[in-house]
Every structure is written in C-alpha cells, then in structure tokens.
C-alpha cells in the first residue's frame, strides 16, 4: 500500500479501487497521446481510479522487420514526460536492454520489463538501480511461483518498489491462456499484482507477421482478474484500433473503456465487501 500511495500521491482515489495502467501500445504521434491521456484521466478522476499512462517509446519485439517501431527514442520519451506534466500523471514505458534503463528513467516514473525479458538479470538489476518502480511482466513460459526470482533480483539491488504483471501463458503456437491462480500466487511474493487484459488475448506467430487477438474478451479477462484479487489492470486502448500501428488486433477501443471501468469498479467494491 505504501508504494501505491507514493506513486499516486497526486491523485485523489477511492482506496477500494484497483489502479489502471492504460494507453496506446506505441507512441505514434503527440496528438494520439494527448487524446488518450485526456480521455482516460478524466474517466479515472470521475471513478476515483488511480491511473498510470502507458505507451512504448520504441517497440523492439515486433514480429516483422516491416512493422512500425517508434518515432525515435528521445522524441518518444520527451512526449511521455510531457504527458506526465500536462495531466499530472505517473507514466510508464518498457525497456529492452540494461543500457535503456537509466535513459528511460530520466523521463518516466515506472519502468516496465517485457515478458520475454523477465529473466534477464542485467535488465532487472539496471532497472532496479534507477530507484524507479519496476513492473515485471510474467513470461509466457513461467509460473507465478517462478516470478519470485525476478522479485529477489530487484530487491537484491536495493529496490523494493516492484509490481508483477500476469499476461497469460503460451498455449500451443498461436494462443495464450490465463491461469488466474497466478494472481494470488504472485501476490504472495509481497508485491502488487497487475492483470494485462489486452496482451493476454494476443494470438502470436501468425503467418502474416502481424499478431492477432481477441479483444471481445477483454471485459471477461478484467472481471475475472478483479474477482481473483488483482491490484491493478493493464489495458491498452486506441481511438481506432484498426488504424493502430501496433497491437491493433487486441487493444480496447477507447469509447468502450468508460463503461467497462464502471462495471469493474462496481465489481471491485462488491468483492472487497
């Protein structure tokens, strides 16, 4: 609770609520970031949901060499910093190497470690040494129990500000499944746990070189996560998913976010009772 109060100190929120990490998958341009941040922050203020704005300044893990990766590292990070200052929000982005940790930490409040990199000791230690909150996504190949080692590495570097994120487990070659046992299991490591409601619906390894998805199930994933005790939700959103330059097949259309959050707030308070 202490680290949540620290990161959300500038936001009034209902203590029974979950927190939300949301934004477009990748930084496409300033107008998109401003549109999403303004809309989502207004919704979260009304519903008293603590909010972290998320966008990747660079996508280093695209399937195809032809896929969009970003507008430039410094340009993207400067836009994230601008969003944080404009809307008085904490912001987060993912890093893909140890060398990126200090650079990104100068602009954002939370460093996100991608699922495929959650065992990379040098990345975890570099992120920890910045002193920023570190959000580690559980690898699609790992159990919730196995994530205790990522937590140990970050704590060993002197940083106790840690979140873990569940984002599904590989099922065959082109699908993921969510094992909700991982939420209480990872909470037992003594850290807040987030459910990634959009990436857990990916359908990777498509022959087209573009990842597919099942966005119609985002609400189901989110509701089940709240029911099983998730502290936070991660939901990528875009005004026009079909035009998104990354993960358009599994993001939530921006207009659908508010009614979903209203349902989730009601469910959370029922569960807390």
């Amino acid at each position: 609770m202490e680290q949540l109060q620290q990161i959300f100190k500038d936001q009034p929120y209902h203590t029974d609520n979950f927190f939300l990490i949301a934004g477009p998958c990748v930084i496409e341009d300033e107008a998109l970031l401003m549109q999403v941040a303004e809309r989502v922050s207004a919704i979260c203020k009304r519903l008293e949901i603590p909010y972290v704005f998320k966008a990747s300044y660079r996508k280093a893990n695209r399937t195809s060499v032809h896929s969009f990766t970003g507008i430039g590292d410094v340009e993207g990070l400067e836009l994230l910093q601008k969003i944080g200052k404009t809307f008085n929000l904490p912001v987060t982005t993912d890093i893909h190497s140890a060398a990126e940790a200090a650079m990104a930490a100068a602009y954002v409040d939370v460093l996100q470690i991608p699922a495929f990199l959650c065992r990379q000791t040098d990345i975890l230690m570099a992120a920890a040494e910045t002193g920023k909150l570190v959000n580690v996504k559980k690898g699609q190949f790992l159990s919730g129990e196995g994530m205790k080692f990522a937590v140990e590495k970050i704590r060993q570097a002197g940083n106790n500000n840690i979140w873990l994120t569940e984002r599904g487990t590989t099922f065959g070659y082109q699908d993921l499944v969510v094992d909700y046992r991982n939420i209480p299991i990872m909470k037992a490591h003594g850290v807040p746990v987030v459910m990634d409601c959009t990436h857990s619906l990916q359908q990777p390894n498509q022959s087209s070189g573009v990842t597919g998805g099942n966005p119609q199930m985002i609400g189901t994933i989110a509701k089940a996560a709240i029911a099983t005790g998730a502290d936070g939700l991660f939901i990528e959103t875009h005004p026009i998913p079909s035009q998104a330059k990354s993960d358009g097949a599994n993001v939530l259309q921006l207009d659908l976010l508010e009614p979903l959050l209203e349902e989730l707030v009601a469910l959370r308070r029922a569960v807390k009772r």
Side-chain angles (χ1 to χ4, degrees):
M1 178 60 71
E2 183 177 341
Q3 61 171 257
L4 296 181
Q5 291 173 339
Q6 181 178 357
I7 196 74
F8 298 119
K9 63 183 183 299
D10 296 324
Q11 297 185 51
Y13 63 91
H14 195 291
T15 55
D16 281 347
N17 271 345
F18 53 90
F19 61 91
L20 178 68
I21 305 171
C25 181
V26 67
I27 296 171
E28 300 176 15
D29 54 46
E30 182 174 348
L32 173 66
L33 297 195
M34 288 290 178
Q35 180 184 0
V36 174
E38 182 176 25
R39 181 74 180 278
V40 180
S41 61
I43 294 169
C44 288
K45 284 179 181 177
R46 182 178 72 80
L47 296 175
E48 298 181 288
I49 299 171
Y51 173 41
V52 180
F53 181 85
K54 182 270 168 187
S56 297
Y57 71 91
R58 174 160 50 88
K59 298 298 292 183
N61 56 344
R62 305 306 305 278
T63 301
S64 170
V65 70
H66 303 294
S67 296
F68 178 79
T69 58
I71 64 172
D73 291 358
V74 174
E75 293 86 349
L77 287 166
E78 287 178 343
L79 283 179
L80 282 172
Q81 187 178 59
K82 183 175 182 178
I83 289 294
K85 291 180 178 179
T86 301
F87 298 98
N88 198 27
L89 294 172
V91 294
T92 185
T93 195
D94 38 359
I95 60 172
H96 301 87
S97 71
E100 293 178 37
M103 177 182 69
Y107 298 89
V108 304
D109 305 283
V110 181
L111 294 175
Q112 179 177 290
I113 310 302
F116 284 126
L117 301 177
C118 69
R119 294 181 63 190
Q120 298 300 112
T121 302
D122 60 339
I123 298 177
L124 292 171
M125 300 292 272
E129 288 166 1
T130 68
K132 297 290 184 175
L133 196 155
V134 183
N135 179 24
V136 188
K137 288 195 170 185
K138 182 185 74 65
Q140 299 93 320
F141 45 86
L142 281 178
S143 67
E145 290 94 335
M147 289 301 291
K148 69 181 179 181
F149 300 108
V151 172
E152 286 177 0
K153 290 175 183 178
I154 296 169
R155 286 178 173 156
Q156 182 69 31
N159 191 334
N160 289 312
N161 296 314
I162 307 163
W163 295 345
L164 294 179
T165 294
E166 166 64 35
R167 54 98 72 230
T169 302
T170 299
F171 183 75
Y173 289 112
Q174 295 177 328
D175 212 349
L176 297 166
V177 295
V178 177
D179 181 353
Y180 287 96
R181 293 177 299 178
N182 283 324
I183 292 177
I185 287 170
M186 290 195 295
K187 288 183 70 168
H189 301 323
V191 298
V193 173
V194 180
M195 180 71 227
D196 185 337
C197 304
T198 44
H199 288 98
S200 60
L201 292 167
Q202 284 182 332
Q203 293 180 316
N205 304 318
Q206 302 294 318
S207 59
S208 64
V210 178
T211 297
N214 286 301
Q216 68 276 11
M217 298 298 291
I218 291 172
T220 300
I221 295 290
K223 291 170 189 174
I226 292 299
T228 49
D231 301 288
L233 299 177
F234 179 111
I235 301 177
E236 287 188 335
T237 184
H238 193 284
I240 310 175
S242 63
Q243 296 180 12
K245 294 184 178 180
S246 178
D247 278 359
N250 57 270
V251 303
L252 182 69
Q253 184 176 327
L254 184 57
D255 286 343
L256 301 178
L257 182 63
E258 186 167 13
L260 174 59
L261 290 177
E262 288 174 341
E263 288 186 62
L264 294 172
V265 166
L267 177 60
R268 169 75 170 195
R269 292 178 183 172
V271 169
K272 293 288 282 188
R273 285 198 298 268

